[in-house]
Amino acid sequence: MTVHVTGSGQTAFGELWHESAESLARQAGQEAMEEAQVKPQQIEAVFVGNMLLPMLEQRAHVGRIVADALDLDCPAFRSEAACASGGMAVHLAILSLLAGHFTTVLVVGVEKMSDVGADIIGRGLMGAGSEQEQLQGATFPALYGLMTRLYQQTYEVSDEMMAAQAVLTHDHAYLNPLAQFHQKITITDVLKSSMVADPIRLLNASPVSDGAAALVLSTRAQSKKDRVVVAGMGEGGDCLDYAKRKAFTSFSATKVATAHALRQAHTMIQEIQAIEVHDCFSVAQVVALEDLGVCSPGTGADWIATGHGRVGGNGLVVNSSGGLKGCGHPVGATGVKQIVELYRQLKGVCGKRQVDSISQGLAHNIGGIGATAAVTILRRQS
Amino acid sequence: MTVHVTGSGQTAFGELWHESAESLARQAGQEAMEEAQVKPQQIEAVFVGNMLLPMLEQRAHVGRIVADALDLDCPAFRSEAACASGGMAVHLAILSLLAGHFTTVLVVGVEKMSDVGADIIGRGLMGAGSEQEQLQGATFPALYGLMTRLYQQTYEVSDEMMAAQAVLTHDHAYLNPLAQFHQKITITDVLKSSMVADPIRLLNASPVSDGAAALVLSTRAQSKKDRVVVAGMGEGGDCLDYAKRKAFTSFSATKVATAHALRQAHTMIQEIQAIEVHDCFSVAQVVALEDLGVCSPGTGADWIATGHGRVGGNGLVVNSSGGLKGCGHPVGATGVKQIVELYRQLKGVCGKRQVDSISQGLAHNIGGIGATAAVTILRRQS
């Protein structure tokens, strides 16, 4: 059984004061159904990725909220896995198709974060960590700050080298009309931006965002040529507590998920032309490159700083969408958006940020500080 | 591919002040793994059903919270579908096995409700309704109260007949050591209990409960005889808003889910010996009997009042566990507990509440006021 991506939808990402979770989900979902040329009655189930709606708005049954917004009376499943909610929702949808239980399903990732104050959103996001970390007030910037410091010390990596990641993602976001940020930045801009959690500065961190992304997945192909299929996928898990890990400058969940996905797809990371990685902070992207096998440990920052990963370059393109940093990070939408981006790259419709000669793409979505990882590989079948 | 139930676990249900969500999940999960004779390393993924933890304790990434409590480093998925979170978690786990993605997985349903005040739990549960209902202050007792009144008027059903449901479930709960309530009640007790939402009285309503239930599911059978397998399953959906429904005294989501499950299992409701139905309120059980095809519309209350559904009777047994009313209703655990009960019935280990000559059982779990339904059929293979 083969799972095809047959449609995609994505709202602009940003601080969208005039939108609600429902209106965002509706726009992305309708766009995906129109692109897939399926009517609402043909959607047999909805899979929703969302983290924060219950905590921020005291509303649950989130799968049905999204299904209702789209006037769908089919069953609705909701996946929550912190910032990996979207990627895990896509995987659950794929599993339901591979099981033969459904033929055509809709996946919607959605988050509406900008309606509450920083204290509330901060507390909500801390909910993704361990209870111990929460009680100690260790926010995600704080935890990733510790990780950044350790990484830089261990591998003798400068702040300048870490900053290259932010510059790269803003350059790509500049080319993406749906991205939250459309201004290019320099290394100096990053180094001069305000300190968030030493050594993480504002421009090393992804923003608070609103947005939705959607996919139609089906075991029935839409067309006979240029099909985009799910070639492989894997998930990994690790304890919530960063302090209890065996390794502090890599995520074993990413490694496990990647190995599974590559094996299932019968491919190697070297045979992939575009990756969307979970760059919630600069260090997360650097470590992801290493955990995915693009670079050896300690060389990820240098790899980016020396010009790799760019659209228009000769090699692998990293975060053509602008990533979490440049495109925005509406938590539950992110994992779905990554796969929307790869699908559109494989369809060749990405305009100025189009990756040349692409046949395979990989999405990497994590939750917590690497406690959940979902890795998905898409492939074009000509 | 066949999915086998190979182990089950369940904590006592009740107001368990000394337990946390973690300790409950740990107990149920460990019991299920021990019964299935699998080591933690053999569990390839955890599927968690939980509704309220993020709203009541501001903690998310709930799949990982449970996985950590059990020292499992495998991937963790979380399903949230209000009171159907557990049933939908079981279905997602089954799909992951049918897809061939995993071989052996653990499902844990867990809820810890008694640590917060009635106002907070009330608001949390209202989160499962539509936004419109929330804004109007229509709680679930209020909505089911409207449904009860309409049902009783339409079909000329007395309060006495509705009360028979509560008596039945308390009689069964009396036989279940894990049930929240162990006192038998009479029709008079029900009719004299305090009014909650006219005509729903206290003893027509399921309680606030803590508890966890767990299952090990595997495509590898444990033994060559007396296997318990998943014979069929289905899900249904409907809009959150009760006021927008096409029918007010039945749930189309239940009908759709049941038809799918029965078709998949190549069976009929008449060939099933035990059902666990979602009796959050008396009317919910009565309507479930009708939607499942046990009784024709308007006859469900009479069917129970005339002595059907009882352990030790000649026919179909309803809610041998005590149901939500008698056994308790820790929201995310309920859908998993229903399947634990059927598995144990099919294994013949239910002691005083054992159903005679049982070969098939059906579980019916709903979320909201019938906005999500999950129906699962288990079968013994001798």
Side-chain angles (χ1 to χ4, degrees):
Chain A
M1 191 100 78
T2 305
V3 173
H4 303 257
V5 184
T6 62
S8 66
Q10 189 193 333
T11 67
F13 281 10
E15 294 189 351
L16 310 173
W17 309 102
H18 54 298
E19 303 283 1
S20 65
E22 278 96 334
S23 69
L24 291 166
R26 189 182 305 122
Q27 289 166 53
Q30 283 179 344
E31 185 185 359
M33 287 192 287
E34 280 164 24
E35 191 174 293
Q37 294 178 290
V38 295
K39 297 195 181 81
Q41 311 90 274
Q42 293 172 280
I43 299 294
E44 294 159 48
V46 187
F47 289 79
V48 175
N50 172 269
M51 176 188 175
L52 295 165
L53 203 60
M55 285 197 279
L56 304 188
E57 302 186 22
Q58 291 281 314
R59 295 163 69 199
H61 217 157
V62 181
R64 274 253 54 89
I65 289 174
V66 169
D68 280 6
L70 284 155
D71 280 327
L72 298 171
D73 60 5
C74 60
F77 296 86
R78 175 195 170 205
S79 151
E80 183 273 312
C83 300
S85 298
M88 296 296 258
V90 174
H91 284 206
L92 290 170
I94 293 168
L95 292 173
S96 79
L97 295 168
L98 290 176
H101 196 60
F102 301 119
T103 305
T104 302
V105 302
L106 178 70
V107 187
V108 179
V110 61
E111 210 76 63
K112 176 71 183 133
M113 302 170 75
S114 71
D115 285 346
V116 295
D119 52 335
I120 295 175
I121 199 81
R123 190 169 173 209
L125 290 169
M126 275 179 77
S130 75
E131 192 167 27
Q132 190 68 13
E133 287 162 352
Q134 282 188 69
L135 293 171
Q136 291 170 341
T139 61
F140 278 91
L143 292 168
Y144 274 105
L146 290 170
M147 186 178 192
T148 305
R149 186 175 287 275
L150 188 62
Y151 181 89
Q152 290 189 237
Q153 285 180 355
T154 304
Y155 296 116
E156 295 180 6
V157 174
S158 66
D159 291 347
E160 286 75 4
M161 283 164 73
M162 296 304 285
Q165 180 273 334
V167 175
L168 169 76
T169 52
H170 272 251
D171 284 350
H172 286 173
Y174 185 77
L175 305 174
N176 182 0
L178 299 175
Q180 184 160 357
F181 298 120
H182 290 116
Q183 68 275 40
K184 296 190 179 189
I185 57 172
T186 64
I187 298 284
T188 311
D189 290 335
V190 179
L191 298 180
K192 283 189 173 171
S193 64
S194 55
M195 192 65 83
V196 173
D198 194 0
I200 291 178
R201 292 175 179 274
L202 186 65
L203 290 177
N204 293 119
S206 57
V208 165
S209 317
D210 306 321
L215 293 163
V216 175
L217 303 176
S218 181
T219 45
R220 290 202 194 104
Q222 192 182 12
S223 62
K224 294 212 170 172
K225 49 179 268 182
D226 286 340
R227 295 174 176 180
V228 174
V229 303
V230 177
M233 65 184 210
E235 306 83 28
D238 207 342
C239 62
L240 288 170
D241 248 314
Y242 180 57
K244 289 185 184 164
R245 299 289 171 77
K246 288 181 191 133
F248 298 104
T249 56
S250 71
F251 291 140
S252 81
T254 298
K255 291 180 178 175
V256 169
T258 306
H260 198 285
L262 290 171
R263 194 165 56 239
Q264 199 174 72
H266 301 292
T267 192
M268 298 184 296
I269 192 75
Q270 293 77 10
E271 293 173 349
I272 287 169
Q273 293 81 33
I275 59 176
E276 288 284 316
V277 303
H278 195 96
D279 60 325
C280 47
F281 297 96
S282 294
V283 71
Q285 173 166 321
V286 167
V287 161
L289 291 171
E290 299 170 9
D291 290 339
L292 289 170
V294 174
C295 307
S296 57
T299 68
D302 184 59
W303 190 83
I304 299 170
T306 52
H308 294 90
R310 292 185 163 269
V311 168
N314 290 321
L316 175 70
V317 175
V318 178
N319 286 355
S320 61
S321 71
L324 283 61
K325 171 68 197 86
C327 186
H329 182 28
V331 174
T334 284
V336 183
K337 178 221 74 174
Q338 293 178 325
I339 296 170
V340 167
E341 174 71 12
L342 294 177
Y343 170 67
R344 292 176 175 184
Q345 287 288 356
L346 289 162
K347 281 287 191 180
V349 297
C350 286
K352 290 180 180 170
R353 68 180 195 286
Q354 180 62 45
V355 176
D356 294 333
S357 310
I358 178 171
S359 62
Q360 291 195 123
L362 178 149
H364 161 259
N365 183 206
I366 61 175
I369 180 159
T372 292
V375 171
T376 320
I377 298 172
L378 298 190
R379 179 181 293 155
R380 192 180 62 228
Q381 290 184 332
S382 297
Chain B
M1 191 101 78
T2 304
V3 173
H4 304 256
V5 184
T6 62
S8 66
Q10 188 191 335
T11 68
F13 282 9
E15 293 189 351
L16 311 173
W17 310 103
H18 53 297
E19 303 283 2
S20 64
E22 277 96 335
S23 70
L24 291 166
R26 188 183 305 121
Q27 288 167 55
Q30 283 178 345
E31 185 185 359
M33 287 191 286
E34 280 163 25
E35 191 174 294
Q37 294 177 291
V38 294
K39 299 195 179 81
Q41 312 88 275
Q42 293 172 278
I43 299 294
E44 293 158 50
V46 188
F47 289 79
V48 175
N50 172 268
M51 175 187 175
L52 293 166
L53 202 59
M55 286 197 278
L56 303 187
E57 301 187 20
Q58 291 281 314
R59 295 162 68 200
H61 217 158
V62 181
R64 275 254 53 90
I65 289 174
V66 170
D68 280 5
L70 284 154
D71 279 326
L72 298 172
D73 60 4
C74 60
F77 297 85
R78 174 196 171 205
S79 151
E80 183 273 312
C83 300
S85 298
M88 295 296 258
V90 174
H91 285 205
L92 290 170
I94 293 168
L95 292 174
S96 79
L97 296 167
L98 291 175
H101 197 61
F102 301 120
T103 304
T104 301
V105 302
L106 178 70
V107 187
V108 179
V110 61
E111 211 77 62
K112 177 71 183 134
M113 301 170 75
S114 71
D115 285 346
V116 295
D119 52 336
I120 295 175
I121 198 81
R123 189 168 173 208
L125 290 169
M126 276 179 77
S130 76
E131 193 168 26
Q132 189 68 14
E133 287 163 354
Q134 283 190 68
L135 293 172
Q136 291 169 341
T139 61
F140 278 91
L143 291 168
Y144 274 105
L146 290 170
M147 186 180 192
T148 306
R149 185 174 288 273
L150 188 62
Y151 181 90
Q152 289 189 237
Q153 285 180 353
T154 304
Y155 297 115
E156 295 179 7
V157 174
S158 66
D159 291 347
E160 286 77 4
M161 282 163 73
M162 297 303 287
Q165 179 273 333
V167 176
L168 169 76
T169 52
H170 272 251
D171 284 352
H172 286 173
Y174 185 78
L175 305 174
N176 182 0
L178 299 176
Q180 183 160 356
F181 298 119
H182 291 115
Q183 70 275 39
K184 295 190 180 189
I185 57 173
T186 64
I187 298 283
T188 310
D189 290 334
V190 180
L191 298 180
K192 283 189 174 171
S193 65
S194 56
M195 192 64 82
V196 174
D198 194 0
I200 292 179
R201 291 175 180 276
L202 186 65
L203 290 177
N204 293 118
S206 57
V208 165
S209 316
D210 306 322
L215 293 162
V216 175
L217 303 176
S218 180
T219 46
R220 289 203 193 104
Q222 192 182 13
S223 61
K224 294 213 170 171
K225 50 179 263 182
D226 286 339
R227 295 173 176 180
V228 175
V229 302
V230 177
M233 66 184 209
E235 306 84 27
D238 207 343
C239 61
L240 288 169
D241 248 314
Y242 181 56
K244 289 185 184 163
R245 299 289 172 76
K246 288 182 190 131
F248 298 104
T249 56
S250 72
F251 291 141
S252 80
T254 298
K255 292 180 179 177
V256 168
T258 305
H260 198 285
L262 289 171
R263 196 165 54 238
Q264 198 173 73
H266 301 290
T267 192
M268 298 183 297
I269 193 74
Q270 292 77 11
E271 293 173 351
I272 287 168
Q273 293 80 35
I275 59 176
E276 288 285 314
V277 302
H278 195 96
D279 62 326
C280 46
F281 298 97
S282 295
V283 71
Q285 173 165 321
V286 167
V287 162
L289 290 172
E290 300 170 7
D291 290 340
L292 289 170
V294 174
C295 307
S296 56
T299 67
D302 184 60
W303 189 84
I304 299 169
T306 53
H308 294 90
R310 290 182 166 273
V311 168
N314 290 321
L316 175 71
V317 174
V318 178
N319 286 353
S320 61
S321 70
L324 282 61
K325 171 69 197 85
C327 187
H329 182 28
V331 174
T334 284
V336 183
K337 179 221 74 175
Q338 293 178 325
I339 297 170
V340 167
E341 174 70 12
L342 294 177
Y343 171 68
R344 291 176 176 185
Q345 288 287 357
L346 289 162
K347 281 286 191 181
V349 297
C350 286
K352 289 180 181 170
R353 69 180 195 286
Q354 181 62 44
V355 176
D356 294 332
S357 311
I358 178 172
S359 63
Q360 292 194 123
L362 178 148
H364 160 258
N365 184 206
I366 61 174
I369 179 157
T372 292
V375 171
T376 320
I377 298 172
L378 298 191
R379 179 179 294 155
R380 192 180 62 228
Q381 289 185 333
S382 297

